[in-house]
Amino acid sequence: GSLSEHPNVVEVLSARGEALNGACEALLDDLHRAMPHAPRGLRSLAAALPQPPEAEGGGGEGLRRRWVLELLFGLYLLPALRTPEAYELSLPRDLPPSSRDNLSAVALGVEQLVLSSGGGTPAVSDAARRYFSPQLLSLAPATATACVAELLPRRPAAGRAFAAFAPCPLRV
């Protein structure tokens, strides 16, 4: 038989795959919980992105969400995982090479789960299907979309835009 059919190899690779799934899921969950406290600079950058012209089918807002997705993951989170010192993350002074490798593996996993989707329906490769659980394959894009929504300025609901200026009834 081949090396990939050897029980010990399968066991080790399965355990590493489960650990990667767990780490990616935990990171996405933590990021989603932290979004209400996202740095002001990140929020300002997201808000400053111009509204693209509406394409057929309302593609303008989708493009803007894609830009925010790229900003949050491609330019902020993933580089911080790959080069934590540049982002002044609180890590041990002598980070072991295995820990650095694990951070890089999580960054690569999240990149494949989130950025390969284009912010919409995931473009799931055969490799992704082998390495990531079906739950994580659907959870990651949904969580990324929720994180992007937290960064974009909220539009007031129709009819409520001027509610704060409505006269208050007087009680006598």
Side-chain angles (χ1 to χ4, degrees):
S2 71
L3 184 60
S4 65
E5 294 171 350
H6 192 278
N8 290 340
V9 171
V10 172
E11 184 178 322
V12 168
L13 291 177
S14 293
R16 287 184 59 92
E18 288 174 19
L20 179 60
N21 270 271
C24 289
E25 186 172 342
L27 176 70
L28 290 168
D29 286 345
D30 288 346
L31 178 65
H32 187 242
R33 277 194 301 277
M35 289 312 297
H37 310 288
R40 186 177 310 187
L42 186 60
R43 288 185 179 283
S44 296
L45 284 172
L49 289 171
Q51 182 67 36
E54 287 295 320
E56 283 186 35
E61 186 62 26
L63 182 58
R64 186 164 187 236
R65 288 180 177 279
R66 174 67 186 182
W67 291 344
V68 174
L69 183 80
E70 289 284 346
L71 172 68
L72 176 60
F73 286 92
L75 299 174
Y76 187 71
L77 179 68
L78 300 177
L81 289 172
R82 291 183 175 120
T83 55
E85 298 82 5
Y87 289 78
E88 298 180 5
L89 296 180
S90 299
L91 298 171
R93 182 174 282 237
D94 297 320
L95 190 64
S98 61
S99 295
R100 189 174 299 284
D101 291 344
N102 289 339
L103 285 172
S104 291
V106 171
L108 181 62
V110 170
E111 179 178 34
Q112 292 301 308
L113 288 162
V114 173
L115 293 182
S116 67
S117 74
T121 306
V124 180
S125 68
D126 288 338
R129 283 191 186 95
R130 283 194 299 266
Y131 293 112
F132 300 114
S133 69
Q135 175 185 338
L136 187 56
L137 287 170
S138 62
L139 172 77
T143 303
T145 298
C147 290
V148 165
E150 284 284 331
L151 283 179
L152 287 173
R154 288 175 178 63
R155 291 185 180 152
R160 297 185 65 205
F162 297 101
F165 300 107
C168 297
L170 292 175
R171 292 184 190 186
V172 237

